[in-house]
Amino acid sequence: MVVNMKLLEMNHIKKEFDGLSVLKDISFSVEEGEVVSIIGPSGSGKSTLLRCATLLEKMDGGELVYMSEKAAWEEDGKCIYASKADLKRIHSYFGLVFQNFNLFPHYSVMKNITDALIRIDKVPKKEAEERAVELLEQLGLADKRDAYPYQLSGGQKQRVSIARALAKQPKILFFDEPTSALDPELTVEVLKVIKDLAKKHMTMIIVTHEMQFAKEVSDRVIFMEEGIIKEQGTPQQLFETDNERVKEFIGHLTGGM
């Protein structure tokens, strides 16, 4: 049996906002090639967990490890982060796709994808543009390289956002409710892109309300509520669970699918 490398470990993660505990002792890991969907009601801490994983929020406790490298750990009840140089390297291991695209309105599609690669990651301009062109072709956007965000549909903007994240050539890709700002037709368009990435064994963590999609694409589904993991397992285990709360949540979003 082949044992895949653990790309991400989050151990005993805690996070508070103004004295309110949002994440309460969360632990899980993700292996190379695994697709993990995180589901749960609004306010359960899903997006905060992603923000802690991607270093956008500082944790109040716990340990964050990428590919056996510690990004953060706990000492004397405080969370200590790795050096700036180490965190910069760790940043290169992951990409993040936001629900509201976060494209720069005054940049073309090409510049949105290549700017950080060239300025921050120091990728030569020619190589950065070659990566962008290849990804735009893969995502059906080859004719949009010189367009600006205001000229794109929501689905096209999200595909550009995915291309930007993939251009970093990350080991792991995070999606924070990637279809929540889209209408149903455009949602299908973006979910197809993510399904195609899953077929290529891209490691992904996806916060989503799309239950059928989570069922189809995931190796594992995590149900979060009130800042803790209430249940996790294969899609079959979660969708056929005896846990009344999980059944109620999934049934509410799927109409008893």
Side-chain angles (χ1 to χ4, degrees), residues 223-239:
F223 177 78
M224 275 182 71
E225 189 170 44
E226 296 171 345
I228 62 170
I229 293 175
K230 288 275 179 81
E231 189 160 356
Q232 63 176 309
T234 65
Q236 186 175 4
Q237 287 169 333
L238 261 283
F239 282 80

Side-chain angles (χ1 to χ4, degrees), residues 156-170:
Q156 289 169 335
K157 287 177 191 172
Q158 193 58 294
R159 281 185 281 156
V160 172
S161 182
I162 292 169
R164 179 177 59 188
L166 286 171
K168 290 181 64 178
Q169 301 179 336

